[in-house]
Amino acid sequence: MASVHESLYFNPMMTNGVVHANVFGIKDWVTPYKMALLVLLSELGRAGAQLGLLERRRLNRLLLPLLQGPDMPLSRLLKAIEESCSHLASSVHIRLKLMAEGELKDMEQFFDDLSDSFTGTEPEVHKTSVVGLFLRHMILAYNKLSFSQVYKLYTALQQYFQNDEKKNGIDESDMELTNTEELEGKMEKEELDVPLREEEISCSGPLSQKQAEYFLSQQASLLKNDETKALTPASLQKELNNLLKFNPDFAEAHYLSYLNSLRVQDVFSSTHSLLHYFDRLILTGAESKSNGDEGYGRSLRYAALNLAALHCRFGHYQQAELALQEAIRIAQESNDHVCLQHCLSWLYILEQKIFDSCVLLEHSVNKSLHFGLPYLASLGIQSLVQQRAFAGKAANKLMDALKDSDLLHWKHSLSELIDISIAQKTAIWRLYGRSTMALQQAQTLLSMNSLEAVNVGVQQNNTESFAVVLCHLAELHAEQGYFAAASEILKHLKERFPPNSQHAQLWMLFDQKIQFERAMNDGRYHIADSLVAGITALNSIEGVYRKAIVLKAQNQMSEAHKLLQKLLIHCQKIKNTEMVISVLLSIAELYWRSSCHTIALPVLLQALALSREYSLQYLASETVLNLAFSQLILGIPEQALNILHTAIEPVLAHGAVLDKGCAMFLVAKCQVASAASYTPQKKIEALESAILNLNEAKTYFAKVDSKEQLRDVLYFQARLFHALGKTHERNKCAMLFRQLHQELPAHGVPLINAFK
Amino acid sequence: MAAAGVAAGLGSGDFSDLREIKKQLLSVAERSRERGLQHSGKWASELAFALDPLPLSELPPPPALTEEDARDLDAYTLAKSYFDLKEYDRAAYFLRGCKSQKKEKLHFRPLEKGQVKNEALRELRVELSKKHKARELDGFGLYLYGVVLRKLDLVKEAIDVFVEAAHVLPLHWGAWLELCNLITDKEMLKFLSLPDTWMKEFFLAHIYTELQLIEEALQKYQSLIDAGFSKSTYIISQIAVAYHNIRDIDKALSIFNELRKQDPYRIENMDTFSNLLYVRSMKPELSYLAHNLCEIDKYRVETCCVIGNYYSLRSQHEKAALYFQRALKLNPRYLGAWTLMGHEYMEMKNTSAAIQAYRHAIEVNKRDYRAWYGLGQTYEILKMPFYCLYYYRRAHQLRPNDSRMLVALGECYEKLNQLVEAKKCYWRAYAVGDVEKMALVKLAKLHEQLNESEQAAQCYIKYIQDIYSCGEIVEHLEVSTAFRYLAQYYFKCKLWDEASACAQKCCAFNDTREEGKALLRQILQLRNQGETSSTDIAAPFFLPASLSANNTPTRRVSPLNLSSVTP
């Protein structure tokens, strides 16, 4: 019932429907709901001895949310109490009834009696406990009320109580359906109330300062840690507007509204809210005399800094730079080193968009440590590590640095940074091509308990690091051919990070990449092609690369080549080494597909050198495989076998299933090729071991359901069996081959001539 | 509803039958008063007063009483007297049983005073919406329904209802006025289907003034005056306000003086008048006005504002702030006082209080460009040029053709070293008609900085033309700079005649005299050397000679396309 909340419209700062500025700094006031709580507390004190231990504990646990939460109708309150202790609920109800149906003096008497609980040698309530503070706040607030306000409070209480009664009455008449005419009237009234009621979702009416603070901090922490649990953007905004209507001086609400607008990527309203917040903050900073002028200047600096952050978030780097310059200038003028450090970190982030600047970051880390800002320092270390990893610095040093910063985190228990650190390690291991290590790190994070005191019960937060780790996990599973598991993980991601939330883009990209890989394996190029657009939208470089791959697979060599060349130049410019190597590999593949193995060789060597330099082991072994293949075709299978031995181990240990299969297949081919020069006895041995290797390759290909490769392997195996004279096995393979061949369209590329 | 029917007969802009109009006005004034709608009644009677008196025979007869009315007459009369004595609850009590439509009107007054609690408001809404569905509401009832909806923040519904009210009873000014407050931009206005009567003209003129579309507003008012309302103080005051809004101070002042002659005890709009006097620093007039108003009624918002302005002009800013505070106490939603208080705090160098005051002003009315501009200025004083851009942009959005915002924007961009944007702003400021005449000089200096001497010279030339065409003999600070630059520019271009003319002008100013003389000597020397080579270059233009009386350029203004994001 909307009208229930009417009774809550008791706000000493509101007269005649106009909210006045909170000149007295009133933080709390008495509302009927609070009176019900007071009654509950006094009943609790009275019945203290008779309550069982279990009931007591349940009630105590109930009290805190009741004290902090928004006002609620009486029926809901009573229900909540009833769940913990039923007879207490009824006694609260009775006392409220007595007070509401009695006289004004009952209420006054009640407040007079309240303060008794503090007195005596062994007081029931300690003065500084949560309950004690609440009681004292209420008594103070009550004593401040003028007569008319007291009377208003009393009528509000009566209404609060009566509304509850009335509601029960309606429920009964609903059942009976006797007085239809009256009911119709009511229905009509309720219909009209519907649009109004939408505004009142979780809290309604004016909140006291305390309640508002609680509401805001709760929502803000939810936004940060677990967006899905927070209110939806629209309803949160409604709540905030409602809050601001009654407490226009409540600056923090503007900040939350800024955060909320960021969620929906609304530049205009987020700028508006941010500036409004700081305009308001400047006020409160100026009013509090303890800070004096310092507090006022401080908010100015941070205002500019926050504006810079806002522009950076929306990708307005030039604007962000201007705002940042301003922040730095003001901070320098007033010698605020802490603020300057924050500015420096932001400067790094901004500069990063333009060019790499380790120097800035190193400065930032050093200075932050000096000024005792562990958070900033380790954030700096983390970005530094990330940058160095891309720049191909020695892995052991990076891991050392991460370990050191981890020490820092654990010391200051910065749980958020610990999460980030682990996620980063996962990503770095993935970059280096050590999938098992990555898997291990990912699992570590997922099975870790949150350190934050707020979420003791909750195991994990919905932060970016979790999204990253889960995405990696999905991809790792997909690589190993566990598509069901991967899609399960993605489903989970979808639930935890709904499509409109901040980190949703991450899993969207990974999802499409996995689908793309699958489509490529199955030879459904048109599907892969349709996925390219989606990938491009999320990551343009990746998208172009995938497009080239599709073109290559569709035998449009010259287009693919053109695209890859362009991409190569671009990636070299932005120093995306990982992509450069992948592109080089694809180009080499294009060359050998066109039977230009001699041209492919230098490209491959370049890729190999690069991947060794940046210690991207996985890419290195893939390059070696390509190289071996080229050598095989060029007629030096012995050499190919030699270098294959170096590469096969990491591939088998960390590689994707498909790559494992390809590698084994290649080994078999090389064995067969090099067996040509052997003596017959040795030749038979070599061919048999080749058949074994082919069997292994077959199992790998079967895992990812890659029919094309399977067909090739079968063909090859049949030939080998034929050479060995094993007709039965040969016929079996040939039959399987025939089945597959009928399923798949004939392919332009000769069977032997392809390695992937 | 007879009058309403007749009013619909006269189409929009049809003022041929002034007698008819007067009749309608008188009757609606009577009916408004009967329902306790004092303001609308006052407006209608004021307008009626401006028209020629009617002979006795044509005076509208008192509205006929219906059977129902007659039954409730006693209760109604009693309640009305209570109501007039501001005993609202008592009035409501005695009206319980009445079915007459007039009764609802009496609910209205306490409502306006905000003394009706939200609960009562909702009950009223339910009741009214029932009647609305049943089409039982007349024009006044619809108006009441609209007000209730507005109080409940249901703006869309409120607009619909007010439009309906205007259709049913176009003569009721209150409905139009409410509509005015709810319409936020021109687009919204376009989509409203308004009744086609002569009242619409008044409404349009009023809303054009509100929406800062001054040209259109002035046109409308002029046509209203031509139609025969020349004596109406309402129109005169509105015209004065409009002139004030476009900063045509002299005209506005003269109109206000005229208004005060016609209506010496008028308090409305006097705050605007005092603003004008303040801008012109007319101390004695302002002091006279303050005294006069204080005598008439010192507990009026406008009076407090005038006194505040008076103190501010005397540089007693604390007292000024005090009076503005008093005005706000009288009416917390009185917008102007918040802004003015902000200005006072700025004068007192209390930036945080100023920001507070401006923010309050914006909260009351988001369209208040002066508050946005003031906020921008405050941050500019705090040396945050990037930060204040946002505020100036807001101000500029609200007043796209006000050069002050543009110059302020330009200055900020200049401080941020974004010279391209700054140039755009200054040029635009000049193009929309620069009030302070500084945009061109600033633009020229920018060109100078960027080594675009050609454009710089052009700007200086235009600047000098501007200054001279205004006929201001007042020593303008930058004129000498302009001449000096031009002299050097012509000297570099080897245009000796122009150069020497400018150098001679330079000699007329103290700070550039020596330079001018030196330049003259050099010119003389060089001229003697290269007499033959340079004299044949014809001078394309010469400055003060080719003056144009028109100081606003005819060149079309291109849209101000600032590259930065404008949230």
PDB file of all heavy atoms in Angstrom, chain B residues 342-356:
ATOM      1  N   GLY B 342      24.860  34.413  -4.689  1.00  0.00           N
ATOM      2  CA  GLY B 342      26.113  33.844  -5.183  1.00  0.00           C
ATOM      3  C   GLY B 342      27.070  34.935  -5.606  1.00  0.00           C
ATOM      4  O   GLY B 342      28.248  34.936  -5.246  1.00  0.00           O
ATOM      5  N   HIS B 343      26.539  35.914  -6.340  1.00  0.00           N
ATOM      6  CA  HIS B 343      27.399  37.025  -6.778  1.00  0.00           C
ATOM      7  C   HIS B 343      27.997  37.748  -5.569  1.00  0.00           C
ATOM      8  O   HIS B 343      29.169  38.111  -5.568  1.00  0.00           O
ATOM      9  CB  HIS B 343      26.593  38.020  -7.609  1.00  0.00           C
ATOM     10  CG  HIS B 343      26.156  37.481  -8.936  1.00  0.00           C
ATOM     11  ND1 HIS B 343      26.882  36.563  -9.633  1.00  0.00           N
ATOM     12  CD2 HIS B 343      25.056  37.743  -9.692  1.00  0.00           C
ATOM     13  CE1 HIS B 343      26.253  36.273 -10.762  1.00  0.00           C
ATOM     14  NE2 HIS B 343      25.133  36.965 -10.814  1.00  0.00           N
ATOM     15  N   GLU B 344      27.178  37.942  -4.554  1.00  0.00           N
ATOM     16  CA  GLU B 344      27.669  38.667  -3.372  1.00  0.00           C
ATOM     17  C   GLU B 344      28.813  37.894  -2.714  1.00  0.00           C
ATOM     18  O   GLU B 344      29.828  38.468  -2.335  1.00  0.00           O
ATOM     19  CB  GLU B 344      26.544  38.864  -2.352  1.00  0.00           C
ATOM     20  CG  GLU B 344      25.477  39.818  -2.797  1.00  0.00           C
ATOM     21  CD  GLU B 344      26.051  41.081  -3.389  1.00  0.00           C
ATOM     22  OE1 GLU B 344      26.918  41.714  -2.773  1.00  0.00           O
ATOM     23  OE2 GLU B 344      25.636  41.411  -4.522  1.00  0.00           O
ATOM     24  N   TYR B 345      28.603  36.566  -2.589  1.00  0.00           N
ATOM     25  CA  TYR B 345      29.659  35.768  -1.961  1.00  0.00           C
ATOM     26  C   TYR B 345      30.923  35.814  -2.797  1.00  0.00           C
ATOM     27  O   TYR B 345      32.029  35.808  -2.273  1.00  0.00           O
ATOM     28  CB  TYR B 345      29.197  34.321  -1.773  1.00  0.00           C
ATOM     29  CG  TYR B 345      28.299  34.153  -0.580  1.00  0.00           C
ATOM     30  CD1 TYR B 345      27.050  33.574  -0.701  1.00  0.00           C
ATOM     31  CD2 TYR B 345      28.719  34.583   0.683  1.00  0.00           C
ATOM     32  CE1 TYR B 345      26.223  33.431   0.394  1.00  0.00           C
ATOM     33  CE2 TYR B 345      27.899  34.443   1.781  1.00  0.00           C
ATOM     34  CZ  TYR B 345      26.654  33.864   1.627  1.00  0.00           C
ATOM     35  OH  TYR B 345      25.839  33.721   2.716  1.00  0.00           O
ATOM     36  N   MET B 346      30.729  35.875  -4.104  1.00  0.00           N
ATOM     37  CA  MET B 346      31.902  35.986  -4.971  1.00  0.00           C
ATOM     38  C   MET B 346      32.647  37.269  -4.654  1.00  0.00           C
ATOM     39  O   MET B 346      33.878  37.299  -4.594  1.00  0.00           O
ATOM     40  CB  MET B 346      31.461  36.012  -6.432  1.00  0.00           C
ATOM     41  CG  MET B 346      31.104  34.681  -6.975  1.00  0.00           C
ATOM     42  SD  MET B 346      32.555  33.780  -7.414  1.00  0.00           S
ATOM     43  CE  MET B 346      32.936  34.585  -8.960  1.00  0.00           C
ATOM     44  N   GLU B 347      31.881  38.336  -4.467  1.00  0.00           N
ATOM     45  CA  GLU B 347      32.499  39.627  -4.139  1.00  0.00           C
ATOM     46  C   GLU B 347      33.256  39.538  -2.821  1.00  0.00           C
ATOM     47  O   GLU B 347      34.290  40.155  -2.638  1.00  0.00           O
ATOM     48  CB  GLU B 347      31.431  40.727  -4.029  1.00  0.00           C
ATOM     49  CG  GLU B 347      30.741  41.048  -5.333  1.00  0.00           C
ATOM     50  CD  GLU B 347      31.631  41.855  -6.261  1.00  0.00           C
ATOM     51  OE1 GLU B 347      32.605  42.446  -5.774  1.00  0.00           O
ATOM     52  OE2 GLU B 347      31.351  41.843  -7.477  1.00  0.00           O
ATOM     53  N   MET B 348      32.689  38.737  -1.909  1.00  0.00           N
ATOM     54  CA  MET B 348      33.324  38.607  -0.596  1.00  0.00           C
ATOM     55  C   MET B 348      34.426  37.563  -0.619  1.00  0.00           C
ATOM     56  O   MET B 348      34.954  37.210   0.419  1.00  0.00           O
ATOM     57  CB  MET B 348      32.273  38.216   0.442  1.00  0.00           C
ATOM     58  CG  MET B 348      31.325  39.340   0.748  1.00  0.00           C
ATOM     59  SD  MET B 348      30.388  38.952   2.211  1.00  0.00           S
ATOM     60  CE  MET B 348      28.936  38.231   1.522  1.00  0.00           C
ATOM     61  N   LYS B 349      34.696  37.032  -1.789  1.00  0.00           N
ATOM     62  CA  LYS B 349      35.744  36.016  -1.966  1.00  0.00           C
ATOM     63  C   LYS B 349      35.448  34.730  -1.178  1.00  0.00           C
ATOM     64  O   LYS B 349      36.349  34.018  -0.788  1.00  0.00           O
ATOM     65  CB  LYS B 349      37.117  36.535  -1.531  1.00  0.00           C
ATOM     66  CG  LYS B 349      37.594  37.749  -2.270  1.00  0.00           C
ATOM     67  CD  LYS B 349      38.305  37.358  -3.550  1.00  0.00           C
ATOM     68  CE  LYS B 349      38.815  38.577  -4.286  1.00  0.00           C
ATOM     69  NZ  LYS B 349      37.734  39.391  -4.868  1.00  0.00           N
ATOM     70  N   ASN B 350      34.184  34.507  -0.929  1.00  0.00           N
ATOM     71  CA  ASN B 350      33.814  33.279  -0.240  1.00  0.00           C
ATOM     72  C   ASN B 350      33.322  32.298  -1.302  1.00  0.00           C
ATOM     73  O   ASN B 350      32.131  32.140  -1.539  1.00  0.00           O
ATOM     74  CB  ASN B 350      32.721  33.584   0.779  1.00  0.00           C
ATOM     75  CG  ASN B 350      32.396  32.385   1.622  1.00  0.00           C
ATOM     76  OD1 ASN B 350      32.870  31.278   1.345  1.00  0.00           O
ATOM     77  ND2 ASN B 350      31.592  32.577   2.637  1.00  0.00           N
ATOM     78  N   THR B 351      34.292  31.635  -1.944  1.00  0.00           N
ATOM     79  CA  THR B 351      33.924  30.841  -3.114  1.00  0.00           C
ATOM     80  C   THR B 351      33.007  29.679  -2.775  1.00  0.00           C
ATOM     81  O   THR B 351      32.100  29.364  -3.537  1.00  0.00           O
ATOM     82  CB  THR B 351      35.169  30.287  -3.811  1.00  0.00           C
ATOM     83  OG1 THR B 351      36.110  29.925  -2.826  1.00  0.00           O
ATOM     84  CG2 THR B 351      35.761  31.296  -4.750  1.00  0.00           C
ATOM     85  N   SER B 352      33.251  29.058  -1.635  1.00  0.00           N
ATOM     86  CA  SER B 352      32.443  27.864  -1.355  1.00  0.00           C
ATOM     87  C   SER B 352      30.987  28.237  -1.129  1.00  0.00           C
ATOM     88  O   SER B 352      30.090  27.552  -1.614  1.00  0.00           O
ATOM     89  CB  SER B 352      33.001  27.107  -0.161  1.00  0.00           C
ATOM     90  OG  SER B 352      33.074  27.951   0.944  1.00  0.00           O
ATOM     91  N   ALA B 353      30.775  29.331  -0.417  1.00  0.00           N
ATOM     92  CA  ALA B 353      29.393  29.757  -0.217  1.00  0.00           C
ATOM     93  C   ALA B 353      28.766  30.157  -1.540  1.00  0.00           C
ATOM     94  O   ALA B 353      27.579  29.924  -1.776  1.00  0.00           O
ATOM     95  CB  ALA B 353      29.344  30.915   0.762  1.00  0.00           C
ATOM     96  N   ALA B 354      29.594  30.751  -2.395  1.00  0.00           N
ATOM     97  CA  ALA B 354      29.077  31.155  -3.702  1.00  0.00           C
ATOM     98  C   ALA B 354      28.632  29.927  -4.482  1.00  0.00           C
ATOM     99  O   ALA B 354      27.547  29.913  -5.073  1.00  0.00           O
ATOM    100  CB  ALA B 354      30.147  31.906  -4.477  1.00  0.00           C
ATOM    101  N   ILE B 355      29.478  28.905  -4.445  1.00  0.00           N
ATOM    102  CA  ILE B 355      29.119  27.681  -5.170  1.00  0.00           C
ATOM    103  C   ILE B 355      27.815  27.113  -4.632  1.00  0.00           C
ATOM    104  O   ILE B 355      26.943  26.698  -5.382  1.00  0.00           O
ATOM    105  CB  ILE B 355      30.257  26.642  -5.044  1.00  0.00           C
ATOM    106  CG1 ILE B 355      31.458  27.097  -5.836  1.00  0.00           C
ATOM    107  CG2 ILE B 355      29.793  25.288  -5.553  1.00  0.00           C
ATOM    108  CD1 ILE B 355      32.681  26.246  -5.635  1.00  0.00           C
ATOM    109  N   GLN B 356      27.707  27.166  -3.323  1.00  0.00           N
ATOM    110  CA  GLN B 356      26.471  26.660  -2.711  1.00  0.00           C
ATOM    111  C   GLN B 356      25.250  27.419  -3.232  1.00  0.00           C
ATOM    112  O   GLN B 356      24.254  26.824  -3.644  1.00  0.00           O
ATOM    113  CB  GLN B 356      26.568  26.818  -1.197  1.00  0.00           C
ATOM    114  CG  GLN B 356      25.293  26.408  -0.500  1.00  0.00           C
ATOM    115  CD  GLN B 356      25.402  26.582   1.000  1.00  0.00           C
ATOM    116  OE1 GLN B 356      26.226  27.356   1.486  1.00  0.00           O
ATOM    117  NE2 GLN B 356      24.583  25.870   1.722  1.00  0.00           N
TER     118      GLN B 356
END
